[in-house]
Amino acid sequence: MTKIDFNKPFTPPKGLNIVDLKQLKNDEELPTLKTEHSVIEAANEQQILTILTLLNIPTKNLSGTNQLKNKFYEAYYNPQFLKWLISFIDPRINQAFIDSTYFSRNDLLPQIWVHIQPTLNTLSQLGIIFFHKDSNNQVTYEAPPAYTEILATLASKDSFGAVNHYNVFITDLINSILNTYGLMSQTSLIQLLHDFKLIKNSSEEKLLQLIHAIPNFSRLFGFDGENFVLKRYNSEEKRQKLLEQQKPFPRFKLESIKEALQIQYSVTEHIADSKLENELKRLLTVAKKEVGPNFVFVSINELFNVPYPLDNALFKLLDQLNISIEPETKEQLQRYFRELMVYKHIPELNGHSLITLRALKKTKK
């Protein structure tokens, strides 16, 4: 088995013992902590339906806003559901909610905040946690009482830290693999995990159950009965087109867990001081836009952190900043974008980047 260092992330706040945090005597008391979730209360029927789908909550034979709202509350305040949900949430977020039932950007280290903020936004939009904005647009995130109680109960168990880390690790790993290939049969995925020495034959079924149990909101893929498929290719027509595009290329071989996790950031190391970064910085300076020191780097990284990056997203960003550009500048930016694009591993090339394909051609000569 591959050894993965799952540090226990859950430590009690200063002056307290983890046991001191526990207020529930048994799970049956959870419904007494029920409170209104403003996102759910404000949502229309379609919005609630979407939220329930993203939370893996069945909606068969349900209709109307009230029925769907009741279904959300019924599921959320079910101890087993909430335990499952919390076990897939970033351990750094769970640790922050153990330290305090609410926190904002200023309460966390910048390097932690930048990684967990997108997840916090998603959780708050789904009604899993609460958020509040003050007059200065400072956002504070708050754990509902039930979330706090279940989290404290789980965190008091020595094994939960490892379980939480492992669930999030598996989610990140499978997301990254599917981001690379777009589509992979269940058999091929299991074989790859065997190659990584991540599983033994006896644990195949358990790992498959775990992968299928990953919450919809945190996974980038679905399952068509035979294949795990990136949501981008969510129709039979799109899947067939992808397979046709992949045919001319041998499948890129992932050699290790580390490579599989890092491959989605294959462009990242080439962004700093690239022509694209320098040109965007120049445009911001000319337009007298005040942004953070890492704004350009982070923005470019986000543009490429999708299965198939398009330069349209770059120009939408400039539009949002109210920066107008001349046609020749647009052509220049497109060229700089393509220069970074060659490092991106994409499903249409069967997991390769243009750089790895060029290297492959050279070895065959």
Side-chain angles (χ1 to χ4, degrees):
M1 293 285 286
T2 299
K3 290 185 179 179
I4 302 167
D5 183 19
F6 297 116
N7 295 316
K8 291 180 184 177
F10 303 113
T11 56
K14 198 171 182 180
L16 288 177
N17 185 296
I18 268 289
V19 179
D20 298 332
L21 297 175
K22 293 173 64 177
Q23 298 173 33
L24 284 182
K25 291 178 181 171
N26 54 64
D27 289 344
E28 285 70 34
E29 293 184 26
L30 193 64
T32 65
L33 298 171
K34 182 177 176 181
T35 185
E36 284 192 350
H37 295 232
S38 58
V39 167
I40 301 301
E41 294 303 311
N44 59 36
E45 183 175 345
Q46 186 55 50
Q47 288 169 332
I48 301 175
L49 192 60
T50 299
I51 288 172
L52 294 179
T53 301
L54 289 171
L55 293 176
N56 300 37
I57 299 173
T59 58
K60 190 176 180 180
N61 299 327
L62 295 178
S63 63
T65 305
N66 288 336
Q67 278 193 13
L68 294 171
K69 280 183 182 179
N70 291 339
K71 188 65 178 179
F72 170 85
Y73 288 117
E74 177 190 321
Y76 190 92
Y77 289 92
N78 179 305
Q80 294 308 312
F81 175 85
L82 202 49
K83 286 176 181 178
W84 162 78
L85 194 62
I86 289 172
S87 75
F88 281 96
I89 291 173
D90 193 314
R92 292 168 294 189
I93 292 175
N94 283 333
Q95 180 63 62
F97 280 133
I98 287 172
D99 293 340
S100 175
T101 55
Y102 56 88
F103 59 84
S104 63
R105 179 176 192 156
N106 296 333
D107 299 315
L108 301 176
L109 294 171
Q111 59 267 36
I112 292 180
W113 180 261
V114 73
H115 284 291
I116 69 172
Q117 188 185 21
T119 303
L120 288 168
N121 288 340
T122 299
L123 297 177
S124 60
Q125 288 163 9
L126 294 174
I128 299 170
I129 62 173
F130 301 152
F131 75 100
H132 313 279
K133 262 188 183 179
D134 63 19
S135 56
N136 297 317
N137 280 330
Q138 172 76 28
V139 177
T140 298
Y141 295 95
E142 179 186 358
Y147 188 112
T148 301
E149 300 293 352
I150 289 293
L151 176 58
T153 303
L154 289 170
S156 66
K157 300 174 182 177
D158 290 340
S159 62
F160 181 67
V163 169
N164 192 192
H165 263 106
Y166 188 77
N167 287 2
V168 172
F169 157 74
I170 286 296
T171 301
D172 289 345
L173 179 63
I174 308 303
N175 278 341
S176 190
I177 291 171
L178 268 298
N179 243 336
T180 304
Y181 298 125
L183 179 150
M184 201 172 205
S185 71
Q186 182 166 285
T187 304
S188 297
L189 179 62
I190 288 298
Q191 183 55 55
L192 181 61
L193 298 180
H194 272 296
D195 294 343
F196 289 163
K197 296 180 171 55
L198 189 62
I199 54 175
K200 295 178 180 177
N201 289 330
S202 59
S203 61
E204 276 185 12
E205 193 59 39
K206 285 185 178 179
L207 185 54
L208 273 174
Q209 288 173 0
L210 176 62
I211 294 170
H212 284 292
I214 295 172
N216 288 330
F217 71 84
S218 62
R219 70 187 199 177
L220 304 176
F221 59 89
F223 187 67
D224 67 4
E226 182 181 347
N227 305 295
F228 290 101
V229 186
L230 206 62
K231 290 178 182 177
R232 172 184 170 86
Y233 311 104
N234 60 357
S235 70
E236 183 61 29
E237 183 182 354
K238 289 179 180 178
R239 290 195 284 276
Q240 288 305 316
K241 184 178 179 181
L242 172 65
L243 291 172
E244 286 298 317
Q245 290 172 313
Q246 291 179 341
K247 275 184 181 179
F249 312 106
R251 173 153 282 195
F252 179 80
K253 184 169 176 55
L254 290 169
E255 300 287 353
S256 66
I257 290 173
K258 183 178 180 182
E259 183 184 24
L261 288 169
Q262 292 181 344
I263 198 168
Q264 60 187 314
Y265 306 110
S266 55
V267 178
T268 304
E269 62 185 281
H270 302 281
I271 294 174
D273 207 31
S274 64
K275 291 177 182 177
L276 183 60
E277 184 188 51
N278 291 335
E279 180 61 15
L280 288 178
K281 284 181 177 178
R282 186 190 71 78
L283 290 171
L284 287 166
T285 301
V286 170
K288 297 181 179 178
K289 299 291 180 181
E290 293 185 10
V291 294
N294 296 318
F295 175 80
V296 173
F297 181 94
V298 171
S299 297
I300 294 174
N301 197 45
E302 287 177 353
L303 292 176
F304 282 95
N305 191 22
V306 295
Y308 195 92
L310 298 170
D311 57 23
N312 288 347
L314 171 62
F315 301 120
K316 282 183 182 178
L317 174 64
L318 292 174
D319 286 342
Q320 289 168 3
L321 293 167
N322 293 317
I323 295 177
S324 57
I325 53 175
E326 299 295 328
E328 55 268 29
T329 303
K330 182 173 182 178
E331 289 178 11
Q332 195 175 44
L333 287 171
Q334 287 174 321
R335 188 166 64 253
Y336 295 161
F337 187 92
R338 288 195 296 271
E339 287 177 6
L340 284 177
M341 184 67 176
V342 299
Y343 298 102
K344 177 69 180 178
H345 290 257
I346 58 176
E348 283 76 4
L349 298 180
N350 216 350
H352 279 277
S353 69
L354 288 174
I355 289 290
T356 61
L357 280 178
R358 289 171 190 170
L360 195 63
K361 287 179 181 178
K362 286 181 181 178
T363 60
K364 289 184 176 180
K365 287 182 179 179

